[in-house]
Amino acid sequence: MILCVSRLRTQLNVAALCSLLNTSNKDCLVEATRVYGNLTRSKDTRDFLVESGAWNQLLKFLDWDDEELLCTTVGILVNMMADWDKRVALKEGRGIERYFNL
């Protein structure tokens, strides 16, 4: 029961952070991606990011010209690569191409 409550809280936090990924406030984006960097150690969080579409927003950050945001975003991508399906999603989203064109 405690594990279920903890998982639910994490999922709610992850979902709440999704709205922050659409802001134009760079500081807010950096902090949100830092949190996601920690949360993406969990497979549930990694799955949610792809299923919710937040994954596509994260990939867009690779096109930004802000070193701090790029670093935090790459940290998320490293965690996401733990799952085979996320590797495919990265390739399909041109994430590798975007990263190497920095």
Side-chain angles (χ1 to χ4, degrees):
M1 178 68 172
I2 293 174
L3 181 61
C4 291
V5 171
S6 176
R7 181 177 282 171
L8 178 60
R9 284 185 187 155
T10 300
Q11 289 175 346
L12 290 173
N13 289 334
V14 170
L17 282 172
C18 279
S19 63
L20 296 178
L21 296 179
N22 294 316
T23 184
S24 60
N25 182 318
K26 183 203 69 102
D27 292 332
C28 184
L29 289 173
V30 169
E31 292 306 317
T33 54
R34 281 187 177 147
V35 173
Y36 271 130
N38 290 322
L39 294 176
T40 52
R41 294 177 183 169
S42 160
K43 181 165 177 23
D44 290 337
T45 300
R46 296 190 302 266
D47 290 342
F48 179 84
L49 287 177
V50 172
E51 293 166 8
S52 70
W55 171 251
N56 295 323
Q57 185 63 29
L58 289 168
L59 290 179
K60 289 179 185 178
F61 295 154
L62 293 174
D63 297 330
W64 283 46
D65 190 29
D66 184 273
E67 187 174 321
E68 194 171 19
L69 183 59
L70 289 172
C71 287
T72 56
T73 301
V74 169
I76 294 168
L77 298 180
V78 168
N79 291 344
M80 296 291 282
M81 295 306 97
D83 304 326
W84 176 256
D85 61 321
K86 309 312 179 296
R87 295 178 204 165
V88 172
L90 179 69
K91 184 177 177 184
E92 290 174 353
R94 295 182 24 252
I96 297 168
E97 179 181 322
R98 288 175 172 170
Y99 176 73
F100 284 109
N101 287 330
L102 295 177

